Amino acid sequence: MYNLAELYYPITAKPDGAGELKPCKELQPYIRCFWGSLSEPAEGAAQPDKLSGHQPAREIIIPDTCMDIIWEWDADTGASGGVFCGINDTAFEVERAEPSASRLRFAIRFHFWAVHLFAEEPLTNVMNYYGDVDAYFPFFRRELGERLTAAGTMAERIAMTEQVLLRRLELVRGSHNGLMNTVHDILRAKGVVTVSSLGSSNGLGSRQLERLFRENIGISPKQTADLVRFQNVWKSLYRPSPQIRNLQDLVYAYGYSHQSHFNNSFKKFAGQTPLEALAYAER
């Protein structure tokens, strides 16, 4: 697959504190990163929340256009299980993960255009989905679940996961050319593109394009473009270039009709105003 990640690299609400680990070169077109517990907890380690009674802080999750498989297990009991987080189109809050004496986690964050290559079911209903990993990835528990819990380090977990994912890629036919060409057009335009131009430039009718996106990504071409534009706006806001010096520059650069249109669109996806989002990211 052409490495679309060279055109587009989405970031989280706190880009500098994500604890992300890159995949091998062969998987970079498909996998955004790995993340999770870096190692087994030390024997007798305490869980601060349980000792102090302190409730963990909340953290904001913004639409990053990625989808995650998260595998969790208890090192004491051996109980384990996984969830799949589909593509989300709105911000939400979760409890911040705190150090735990026994609860461990390993996660794969997929680029939105590549998830369907590993899924065993169409992704039609994955927008804002949070559910059992077996619903879309039965192979994960079968081929990785128990092995992940037995591994002692993040490096070991990544290595075995990469082997399994590379084998899975050898079994699939690949992506629909029209779908991938359209995704490429959206990414190259940074989401500033009309839906009517997408299908025609790739020889696809509007209904066929809609079906391909919903089955393989879980959202429509327009929703995809809107989310990609938001991510590019957020990245330009957080890491401004010489061409982007203020909010008004963002309004023009990303095709918003006026300042209030920009503000409303940003808050729709981020759950905060641009200035609030910057303040949160820098805490």
Side-chain angles (χ1 to χ4, degrees), residues 19-229:
E20 301 167 351
L21 299 169
K22 285 188 177 181
C24 64
K25 184 178 180 179
E26 293 80 4
L27 284 172
Q28 286 176 15
Y30 313 92
I31 308 296
R32 164 71 169 74
C33 67
F34 297 103
W35 58 275
S37 308
L38 295 181
S39 63
E40 295 287 356
E43 185 175 353
Q47 184 172 347
D49 292 331
K50 291 184 178 179
L51 288 178
S52 65
H54 173 68
Q55 293 299 314
R58 307 285 288 180
E59 64 177 317
I60 297 173
I61 307 298
I62 63 171
D64 61 5
T65 66
C66 295
M67 305 188 220
D68 292 31
I69 290 178
I70 305 172
W71 189 261
E72 293 185 315
W73 65 98
D74 191 303
D76 291 338
T77 66
S80 62
V83 295
F84 171 54
C85 306
I87 192 166
N88 60 298
D89 68 344
T90 186
F92 59 95
E93 291 187 352
V94 298
E95 288 186 354
R96 189 186 307 276
E98 297 288 343
S100 169
S102 62
R103 194 71 177 174
L104 299 172
R105 175 182 291 176
F106 175 79
I108 313 167
R109 181 162 295 155
F110 296 91
H111 285 298
F112 72 86
W113 58 80
V115 183
H116 69 280
L117 295 172
F118 304 95
E120 297 179 51
E121 294 292 335
L123 300 176
T124 310
N125 298 311
V126 302
M127 187 173 73
N128 299 321
Y129 176 88
Y130 181 88
D132 195 327
V133 68
D134 292 345
Y136 292 94
F137 306 90
F139 79 89
F140 193 89
R141 181 186 301 274
R142 185 174 62 248
E143 299 183 34
L144 276 170
E146 298 304 319
R147 297 174 63 199
L148 289 173
T149 63
T153 67
M154 175 64 89
E156 292 174 5
R157 292 169 196 140
I158 290 176
M160 64 178 61
T161 300
E162 288 181 337
Q163 289 179 355
V164 169
L165 296 181
L166 287 170
R167 285 201 305 268
R168 299 292 302 180
L169 286 174
E170 293 176 356
L171 301 175
V172 299
R173 295 181 179 178
S175 302
H176 188 285
N177 287 338
L179 171 71
M180 298 309 296
N181 288 338
T182 303
V183 170
H184 176 270
D185 289 347
I186 291 173
L187 299 184
R188 186 178 56 186
K190 298 185 176 181
V192 187
V193 62
T194 61
V195 176
S196 59
S197 69
L198 291 174
S200 58
S201 64
N202 291 296
L204 297 172
S206 59
R207 289 187 179 181
Q208 184 183 13
L209 189 65
E210 181 89 10
R211 178 182 59 78
L212 283 170
F213 268 71
R214 292 200 178 275
E215 289 182 356
N216 294 286
I217 298 173
I219 56 178
S220 70
K222 182 181 186 310
Q223 289 170 311
T224 303
D226 287 346
L227 289 173
V228 167
R229 179 167 71 161

